[in-house]
Amino acid sequence: MNGRLNWFKLLIFLIGFVYWTTAEAQVSSDAQRRYKAAVQLVQAGNYERAKADLNALVQRDGPLAPYASYYYAVAAFRQKNFNQARLMIKQLMSRYPDWRKMDDVNYLLAAVHMEMGQYEDALEAIQQIKSTSFRVDTDKMEQVFLSKIKELSRLKQINRQYPDDRNVGLALIDLIQRTATDKDDLELSDRLTNRFGVPGTITQPTSITPATTRPSTTNQPNRNARSKGYYNVAVMFPFRLDDFNADRHLRSNQYVYDLYNGMKMAKAKLQEEGITINLFAYDLDNDANKALELVNSPAFAQTDLIIGPLYIEPNRIASAYANQSNILLLNPIATSSELVADQPLSFLAQPSLAHQAQKAAEQARNITTLRRAAIYFGTSRKDSLLAAAYQSELKRQNYQIVDFRKLSGSTQAMADAMQFSGNTTSSRSVGTVTSGAPVTVGHVFFASTNDEDGAKLIEALSRRKVNAPLIATSSAFDFYANSSSTFTRRDLYLIYPDFIDTSRETVVDFQADYLSRRNTIPSVFASEGYDMMLFFGRQLAKNSTRNRSLMRSDSDDYLMSGFDYTQSNENQIVPIVKCEGSRFVKIN
């Protein structure tokens, strides 16, 4: 540990001693001369000779003995003979328990124990230091050595013995976030983060100096613009750790764990690129009070990006915090443009329903010039919202809407409900065609989140002898249960925001890596988590000024179709795919 001991502190100490010995102690001039010469030998690096001269003074057991013992330990420490240093310190403490320089002795003893890997003994020595002037030095010492611990169980044991030590807590948070996947460990990290905040990067200095200052945690304008070697990402998801059961494979909130696991994979990828991401998981359900408590906790003082929350009220609180602190907030799965309206720092990882409708209408214009359409939707609120957005977009482009209604039930029930004359009875119908004669349809649009509805809708259209192209949501189909003929028997186009081309090498490699790490095939949510963390991690590091023209994915190493925020705070990329042969290809 050459250079780590605080020589500045020792020199000040020596000057104080010379004054004290000449003014207050009855020490012979010869003894003082021998002592000062020995200390100068320590400073010059002549440790063996210094120890021999100091030991002679120790054996005399006079007023100089505790000082000589201390510098003997310093010399042994410099030689990296830590056990010899420890034994001399213990002897000093035993013989002179009331020595007024005992804080210096405990500081040196702590350094010795740290070097020997005896961390608990080191922390015990630090606790015996009474003067607050040592606080900066002891904090730096703890940070340097605790960051070297690689065994999670070891650091957890130290935390149990010293639960109030902030440096131990921060070191444990960092190690958990870098290496752990166990639910109990993540929960422990969450508790420690709420108490101690988030760890920064720990440098390995060549010396421990008394004049060190902590980085400010005050919120500053565009703080991402400062030079920084790491970025803290707060993931505010409903992990529901209290109800977690590792043996239960079908959880209602499995998607949040998949998203988070994907983010951890991206974190490793970013580290390879020299971008250090610290992920901090917060278990936040639909609880506005807890959200408020979290954003006001020390944990958020150094946050650079918030992902989540997933519920409206907690999201509003987090968005307000993001705006106030000038940091980004990402909504990972939401498709409502209202979440980013008048929120300059909030983004949607997904395209909004309104934007999906715009892209679908754009595709319709490429398919046919006939501006007549029938619009159908399933039973969920998301189905009707997308259908309404599509209807609004078509009407803006002067389309005739010959039928607009909710369809559900059997294939025949769907076929019977269709009315192509424009004379609909549904309260949702806004048909503009008044004639009772059959109307030729340019295309049909269908929005449904029920994966059984798509195949039934296609058959219903066939029974009604409607051969027009169909634009539908991918969520209306079961890609495992439906045969390939389902997708090829009609001119079918799928709005597919989470489309993954599984033939791409990047995807194949990710799936193999994920399988080896998690022992399961990655879900769509895992892929989404990977992509969004990869993109926004790169943005934090390379686009600190948030230049709009740079806010788009510029490489093909994403699993899905990438991101584009050059025009809006919602992702502008909406993949539309078509089945060609036995595989789906993106056509827009």
Side-chain angles (χ1 to χ4, degrees):
M1 179 178 156
N2 187 28
R4 278 197 185 131
L5 192 62
N6 185 354
W7 277 106
F8 179 80
K9 184 184 289 292
L10 295 182
L11 288 173
I12 295 299
F13 167 70
L14 175 58
I15 294 170
F17 161 72
V18 171
Y19 173 81
W20 181 84
T21 56
T22 56
E24 301 180 33
Q26 298 299 318
V27 179
S28 68
S29 59
D30 180 65
Q32 288 195 41
R33 181 185 58 77
R34 285 171 170 268
Y35 171 74
K36 290 199 295 185
V39 172
Q40 289 172 355
L41 289 173
V42 174
Q43 291 177 302
N46 194 344
Y47 301 125
E48 282 301 323
R49 183 178 172 184
K51 287 194 300 182
D53 292 350
L54 290 166
N55 189 50
L57 293 170
V58 171
Q59 299 306 317
R60 293 182 182 182
D61 197 25
L64 291 174
Y67 294 92
S69 299
Y70 178 79
Y71 278 101
Y72 183 102
V74 169
F77 182 88
R78 286 288 185 175
Q79 290 179 305
K80 299 187 178 180
N81 192 338
F82 303 121
N83 191 54
Q84 187 181 66
R86 181 183 63 84
L87 291 173
M88 180 55 76
I89 293 171
K90 289 294 186 181
Q91 177 180 291
L92 189 163
M93 299 174 85
S94 175
R95 290 183 179 180
Y96 311 101
D98 298 325
W99 190 42
R100 67 187 185 92
K101 293 295 183 180
M102 198 55 70
D103 281 348
D104 295 77
V105 175
N106 277 306
Y107 177 81
L108 178 58
L109 180 61
V112 168
H113 283 307
M114 285 292 190
E115 287 284 8
M116 298 176 74
Q118 300 165 346
Y119 303 111
E120 291 91 344
D121 293 332
L123 294 174
E124 182 63 30
I126 289 172
Q127 288 191 348
Q128 302 307 312
I129 299 174
K130 297 180 175 60
S131 174
T132 57
S133 65
F134 285 80
R135 180 66 56 81
V136 172
D137 293 328
T138 56
D139 277 347
K140 181 65 71 175
M141 183 192 299
E142 289 184 37
Q143 292 165 8
V144 168
F145 284 97
L146 293 174
S147 67
K148 296 181 178 181
I149 301 176
K150 305 304 180 185
E151 299 81 17
L152 186 58
S153 59
R154 181 83 171 89
L155 200 49
K156 287 165 68 175
Q157 178 184 356
I158 297 173
N159 174 250
R160 285 192 292 268
Q161 190 167 342
Y162 296 91
D164 297 325
D165 192 303
R166 183 173 186 270
N167 294 309
V168 173
L170 294 179
L172 182 52
I173 293 169
D174 179 67
L175 189 59
I176 289 175
Q177 293 294 334
R178 286 189 289 109
T179 65
T181 58
D182 182 75
K183 162 255 180 183
D184 292 335
D185 291 336
L186 294 176
E187 185 176 15
L188 173 61
S189 173
D190 192 17
R191 293 198 304 269
L192 292 173
T193 300
N194 288 337
R195 180 177 183 185
F196 295 121
V198 296
T201 54
I202 298 175
T203 58
Q204 303 294 335
T206 57
S207 63
I208 298 177
T209 60
T212 57
T213 56
R214 297 178 192 167
S216 172
T217 57
T218 304
N219 295 328
Q220 301 175 4
N222 199 11
R223 62 187 179 200
N224 289 334
R226 70 185 186 273
S227 178
K228 189 173 179 181
Y230 65 94
Y231 302 92
N232 297 322
V233 178
V235 183
M236 306 176 77
F237 284 175
F239 292 101
R240 297 169 189 161
L241 296 175
D242 292 339
D243 300 328
F244 185 91
N245 184 344
D247 296 327
R248 190 195 315 161
H249 297 291
L250 296 176
R251 309 182 190 96
S252 61
N253 66 332
Q254 180 60 46
Y255 68 98
V256 302
Y257 286 93
D258 292 347
L259 281 167
Y260 188 67
N261 286 331
M263 292 176 195
K264 292 174 70 175
M265 296 281 286
K267 173 186 172 182
K269 167 75 171 175
L270 289 167
Q271 189 66 61
E272 295 175 0
E273 300 176 7
I275 302 171
T276 299
I277 297 293
N278 298 318
L279 284 176
F280 298 97
Y282 297 92
D283 189 2
L284 179 61
D285 217 307
N286 193 9
D287 188 336
N289 291 330
K290 185 175 181 180
L292 189 61
E293 178 184 340
L294 286 175
V295 299
N296 287 324
S297 71
F300 266 73
Q302 298 179 30
T303 300
D304 300 294
L305 169 66
I306 300 172
I307 302 180
L310 305 188
Y311 293 95
I312 295 295
E313 288 306 319
N315 189 278
R316 286 175 179 167
I317 293 171
S319 295
Y321 176 86
N323 289 335
Q324 178 183 359
S325 305
N326 199 26
I327 61 176
L328 301 180
L329 181 145
L330 177 64
N331 296 280
I333 60 176
T335 55
S336 173
S337 55
E338 294 179 1
L339 288 174
V340 296
D342 301 320
Q343 299 290 341
L345 296 176
S346 295
F347 293 80
L348 298 183
Q350 307 291 334
S352 70
L353 295 180
H355 193 66
Q356 291 181 44
Q358 292 173 15
K359 290 297 184 180
E362 183 179 299
Q363 183 61 36
R365 292 196 304 273
N366 294 333
I367 295 171
T368 177
T369 58
L370 185 58
R371 291 177 176 257
R372 298 191 183 97
I375 302 174
Y376 302 112
F377 50 94
T379 57
S380 77
R381 182 171 182 268
K382 185 175 181 180
D383 301 340
S384 59
L385 287 175
L386 179 54
Y390 191 69
Q391 177 198 49
S392 177
E393 181 64 23
L394 290 193
K395 291 181 70 175
R396 188 180 67 83
Q397 298 183 27
N398 298 318
Y399 271 75
Q400 283 186 325
I401 311 300
V402 300
D403 201 6
F404 180 89
R405 69 182 64 249
K406 177 169 65 177
L407 298 179
S408 62
S410 66
T411 299
Q412 191 58 49
M414 287 185 174
D416 291 342
M418 295 175 180
Q419 298 186 22
F420 295 102
S421 65
N423 296 329
T424 63
T425 58
S426 168
S427 61
R428 292 182 178 271
S429 175
V430 287
T432 58
V433 180
T434 57
S435 169
V439 178
T440 303
V441 178
H443 75 277
V444 176
F445 180 86
F446 184 52
S448 177
T449 52
N450 184 340
D451 62 9
E452 296 180 355
D453 283 351
K456 290 191 290 185
L457 187 280
I458 289 176
E459 179 60 28
L461 289 174
S462 297
R463 294 183 183 184
R464 294 298 303 267
K465 302 187 184 306
V466 176
N467 297 318
L470 172 62
I471 300 175
T473 55
S474 61
S475 55
F477 295 89
D478 185 334
F479 294 95
Y480 297 99
N482 297 145
S483 65
S484 60
S485 63
T486 302
F487 306 102
T488 56
R489 60 189 289 193
R490 170 178 296 275
D491 196 13
L492 174 63
Y493 303 85
L494 298 181
I495 305 168
Y496 207 158
D498 50 5
F499 172 67
I500 301 175
D501 185 351
T502 55
S503 66
R504 292 175 56 228
E505 183 178 357
T506 298
V507 176
V508 173
D509 291 344
F510 172 80
Q511 292 180 340
D513 190 16
Y514 192 94
L515 181 61
S516 67
R517 292 170 182 255
R518 310 296 308 174
N519 200 30
T520 186
I521 297 173
S523 69
V524 167
F525 292 105
S527 300
E528 289 177 344
Y530 177 87
D531 273 9
M532 66 181 70
M533 187 69 262
L534 188 62
F535 176 79
F536 279 91
R538 289 169 172 170
Q539 286 291 311
L540 288 173
K542 300 177 182 180
N543 188 18
S544 59
T545 59
R546 299 169 188 164
N547 184 336
R548 275 286 180 180
S549 65
L550 300 178
M551 294 194 71
R552 61 184 304 166
S553 48
D554 55 0
S555 63
D556 61 354
D557 57 351
Y558 295 94
L559 305 175
M560 297 185 180
S561 298
F563 302 87
D564 184 355
Y565 298 101
T566 56
Q567 304 297 322
S568 171
N569 282 26
E570 58 185 76
N571 192 359
Q572 299 290 291
I573 296 179
V574 183
I576 296 179
V577 305
K578 187 174 178 61
C579 186
E580 294 184 357
S582 59
R583 58 187 292 264
F584 287 94
V585 296
K586 191 165 60 173
I587 62 171
N588 58 333

